[in-house]
Amino acid sequence: MKIDGTPFRTIWLDQDGWSVRIIDQTKLPWSLDILRLTELGQVAHAIRAMQVRGAPLIGATAAYGLCLALRAEPSLAAMEAAAAMLAETRPTAVNLRWALARLLTLLRETPEPARVARAYAEAAAIADEDVAQNRAIGEHGLALIAPFADAGRVVNILTHCNAGWLATVDWGTALAPIYAAHERGIKLHVWVDETRPRNQGAALTAWELGKHGIAHTVIADNAGGHLMQHGAVDLVIVGADRVTRRGDAANKIGTYLKALAAGDNHVPFWVAVPSSTLDWSLCDGIAEIPIEERSAAEVATVTGRAMDGTITTVRLTPKDSPAANPAFDVTPARLLSGLITERGCCAANEASLCGLFPEFALPPPL
Ligand code: MRU
């Protein structure tokens, strides 16, 4: 996507051909800072500190992290240790483990002298595939938006967190259909949940929609239900960090409450995911998906730009009040209108998912 006319991805190789460039998302929307990562530790920090975030982007970043680790030490033992370290950085988004497993499977079979080059080629393939998959999600999701645009009517879409191009290598998942609809001249307005505690909606989704010229309004997280009751939301589209084989979807904390409100108000609720976010090994999302618990400081404080222009973090809570910070929740499949994948849209259940991805269907019991 373009920032002020210049095309960007969220991660790319530097001109030196080996170090990794990222946009530091902790600095948005205040400044566009590009970081250069040269070693494994920096990559692990970037993922943990959420300089890069969003399930597909975390996966691509981990892949490049393994490349940097192998460049320093290409032995099998060092590779396994680096992958284990990266896998621990964030637990919920399955894309991280998916990308590492894909590289490890290939590189364990690769002789040491060829390992680094092969790792970089595979990391690039992961990044390029993510872009193509998200583009396809955009086209499939467009078909869900278009019927609301009768006679040039403005379509009102609500989204939670940031599942835009910043959360992926490019295009985004939940925002890809919005970008596709905007390209086709459909008039849109996006309700952007601020998404406490880290405000990915207020800071990142609002920033990227604004850069793309898409009308949007940032709302407090609790406003969505009220807007739905008053007919102000045509549909909800969110991303996910992990979707089980029966269609339960883990996404940023608060997604579940939006799905409940959408169900109560008969507002369609779609979850957009590339296949790298599908975890075919799990069934019951509430019982089985690991939920990241982040620092209480993210709840107790908020960071923003002070009137004098400096970026400042202030405390919101009494200094002795404990805070808790579960970073994701699971929306049960029954609350979803369906899933938007790169292979098309489907109902959120195992049979429909396996209809699109027959290679993951289980053999019938004997
Ligand atoms: O904690 P984050 O910012 O990494 O959480 C991101 C989300 O929850 C996104 O909605 C999800 O990763 C889908 S991204 C295309």
Side-chain angles (χ1 to χ4, degrees), residues 50 53-56 90 161-163 167 173 200 240-241 251-252 328:
M50 294 175 62
R53 28 72 48 205
R90 294 197 74 192
C161 195
N162 173 262
T173 56
Q200 290 95 328
D241 289 79
N251 192 47
K252 181 54 53 190
F328 299 92

Side-chain angles (χ1 to χ4, degrees), residues 84-176:
M85 177 193 177
L86 288 164
E88 290 310 306
T89 50
R90 294 197 74 192
T92 303
V94 75
N95 307 59
L96 174 65
R97 280 160 191 77
W98 167 87
L100 290 170
R102 178 165 155 174
L103 258 74
L104 287 178
T105 304
L106 184 77
L107 299 174
R108 283 179 189 132
E109 303 302 317
T110 305
E112 196 169 303
R115 210 168 274 146
V116 174
R118 205 142 185 219
Y120 273 99
E122 196 64 5
I126 286 173
D128 289 345
E129 283 169 30
D130 184 60
V131 178
Q133 288 170 349
N134 296 331
R135 188 89 218 216
I137 285 172
E139 292 305 312
H140 295 302
L142 168 64
L144 303 170
I145 296 175
F148 292 99
D150 263 1
R153 183 182 165 274
V154 176
V155 184
N156 282 292
I157 302 171
L158 184 141
T159 193
H160 191 69
C161 195
N162 173 262
W165 74 271
L166 290 170
T168 63
V169 179
D170 207 350
W171 288 105
T173 56
L175 295 197

Side-chain angles (χ1 to χ4, degrees), residues 175-229:
L175 295 197
I178 291 171
Y179 291 129
H182 181 72
E183 265 182 10
R184 303 304 202 290
I186 292 176
K187 290 189 201 130
L188 300 163
H189 168 260
V190 183
W191 295 110
V192 178
D193 280 354
E194 61 178 342
T195 319
R196 278 282 289 153
R198 288 190 65 106
N199 291 319
Q200 290 95 328
L204 304 177
T205 302
W207 181 81
E208 63 166 274
L209 289 174
K211 288 283 173 207
H212 212 73
I214 296 180
H216 61 279
T217 306
V218 179
I219 50 173
D221 286 326
N222 297 326
H226 164 78
L227 293 170
M228 291 180 208
Q229 285 175 328

Side-chain angles (χ1 to χ4, degrees), residues 196-197 294-303 313-317 323-325:
R196 278 282 289 153
R294 291 189 62 87
S295 161
E298 293 181 352
V299 175
T301 65
V302 70
T303 300
T313 300
V314 294
R315 190 170 179 100
L316 297 171
T317 57
N325 189 7

